[in-house]
Amino acid sequence: MKITDVEATVLVAKLPEPWQIAGTIFRHSYMTLVRIRSDAGFTGYGECIVRHGPGATKAIVEEVLRPILVGKDPFEIEGRWDEMFMMLRNRGHHSGFFLEAMAGVDIALWDLMGKALNLPVHQLMGGFGRAHLPAYASSLLFKDLAALEKEAETLMAQGFKAVKLKVGKGLPEDIRNVKAIRKIIGEDVKLMVDANGAFDAATAVEVGKGLEDHGVYWFEEPVPPDDLPGYAALKRALTIRIAGGESLFSRFDFRDFIERRLLDVVQPDIARAGGFTECRKIAAMASASHIPYAPHTGASGALCVIASLHL
Ligand code: MG
């Protein structure tokens, strides 16, 4: 079988109401859909996560990655992954838009293989045969307290056993929100918080101590993803689990966090970090250090969610 075409389509949806998190307001949800066709009539679909400028990812898929793929055997995914990555890694393109484009291509190649072999991707990867996976509600965004409380009540009525709340405003507001949500969800429901990298390390330690007093399960992206010394300072100062990884790309980014034990939970996004091929390697690295893996999906399309479930 040979790959005959690779195309990317930008999808945009206006959000019913803006999503506000630390540092950003999202008014639209984007994705870049990757379609890979073969001469045997099978088509694989993949998603590239997109936050801004979806045309950039489309151009990388079609102008940079397509020439590597057309005419090749779609089952040789490891080989193509390496070829795509090696082409530009020494030119600074080992993350960002480039890896997001590669992620969508990789997901589409696995989907194509699954269709050709008539097997779901989770079985192609050696399947666990799990019928159920734990889920958490993500996330209670930046809203006034009354709106947050109302949303938390709805989540409890829906049966969620774990809930995530956005933080990033600092003391006292973040801790006030944590206390209010804890009161609604009770002690038996897990509460996680996510700062989206809003804090410097000193502020994150201050907030983190407050979170520890209220039994928060994990503190996600307390500092920016490039601040490895900041993560190290947090690990020394706090006992709360530190989660992160949605802003990291490929096993090479995760290597530094895992080797230095800077994260207690890794959260790669399959549509960003490099697709199935790369995320299963990151999962193996995390497993070897006994670090749990909680996939990130965020404001993504359905393909990212489905692919994460298979992974
Ligand atoms: Mg997050």
Side-chain angles (χ1 to χ4, degrees):
M1 201 190 324
K2 296 267 186 288
I3 296 169
T4 52
D5 199 15
V6 179
E7 64 175 319
T9 307
V10 168
L11 301 178
V12 186
K14 192 168 190 300
L15 292 167
E17 54 179 298
W19 278 35
Q20 194 175 357
I21 64 170
T24 314
I25 299 179
F26 296 109
R27 299 185 193 282
H28 296 86
S29 176
Y30 301 103
M31 69 176 270
T32 297
L33 175 73
V34 177
R35 253 183 289 222
I36 301 184
R37 300 182 204 279
S38 71
D39 59 2
F42 300 105
T43 301
Y45 294 88
E47 173 177 352
C48 315
I49 193 173
V50 173
R51 286 293 181 255
H52 301 282
T57 321
K58 173 179 162 68
I60 294 167
V61 170
E62 293 185 344
E63 294 176 30
V64 184
L65 304 179
R66 185 180 181 278
I68 288 181
L69 298 162
V70 171
K72 302 286 174 45
D73 183 338
F75 285 13
E76 292 170 355
I77 301 177
E78 287 276 355
R80 295 298 78 72
W81 201 101
D82 270 9
E83 203 176 332
M84 292 188 284
F85 190 69
M86 297 302 282
M87 175 173 51
L88 287 171
R89 79 180 300 184
N90 294 350
R91 303 289 177 270
H93 302 287
H94 42 67
S95 62
F97 285 111
F98 189 68
L99 251 282
E100 289 164 357
M102 277 186 59
V105 164
D106 183 85
I107 294 168
L109 286 172
W110 280 94
D111 184 46
L112 176 55
M113 179 152 66
K115 282 174 176 151
L117 298 175
N118 197 26
L119 274 178
V121 172
H122 69 89
Q123 287 187 333
L124 285 180
M125 290 190 296
F128 273 98
R130 287 179 183 146
H132 301 279
L133 287 167
Y136 68 87
S138 172
S139 294
L140 296 169
L141 303 169
F142 280 9
K143 288 179 183 171
D144 65 56
L145 187 52
L148 287 178
E149 288 174 329
K150 194 157 170 260
E151 207 172 322
E153 280 165 10
T154 305
L155 295 173
M156 291 306 94
Q158 289 171 339
F160 281 101
K161 297 287 177 238
V163 173
K164 197 162 82 183
L165 169 71
K166 294 292 187 188
V167 295
K169 294 191 169 171
L171 300 175
E173 192 171 344
D174 286 335
I175 300 302
R176 181 205 68 185
N177 288 351
V178 164
K179 275 189 193 163
I181 299 304
R182 173 62 80 201
K183 208 166 160 189
I184 288 165
I185 67 176
E187 296 297 325
D188 295 335
V189 172
K190 282 195 179 92
L191 177 61
M192 298 89 96
V193 303
D194 182 2
N196 291 98
F199 297 128
D200 57 65
T203 311
V205 169
E206 249 172 34
V207 174
K209 290 193 167 148
L211 299 174
E212 286 173 352
D213 292 340
H214 295 91
V216 172
Y217 187 73
W218 80 43
F219 189 5
E220 179 173 327
E221 289 200 311
V223 293
D226 56 277
D227 188 7
L228 276 70
Y231 272 96
L234 291 180
K235 287 296 297 162
R236 286 192 297 273
L238 299 173
T239 56
I240 189 172
R241 291 171 188 80
I242 304 294
E246 71 182 70
S247 308
L248 302 180
F249 298 83
S250 88
R251 62 193 184 274
F252 303 104
D253 275 359
F254 280 90
R255 174 195 59 203
D256 299 333
F257 279 82
I258 291 170
E259 276 182 3
R260 293 172 63 181
R261 289 263 172 183
L262 302 180
L263 291 173
D264 300 295
V265 179
V266 293
Q267 303 172 291
D269 191 309
I270 192 168
R272 169 176 288 149
F276 287 104
T277 304
E278 196 65 357
C279 286
R280 71 199 303 218
K281 291 174 184 169
I282 295 165
M285 288 160 61
S287 160
S289 292
H290 305 282
I291 297 173
Y293 184 116
H296 175 262
T297 56
S300 304
L303 269 171
C304 173
V305 176
I306 297 291
S308 298
L309 286 170
H310 281 257
L311 181 70

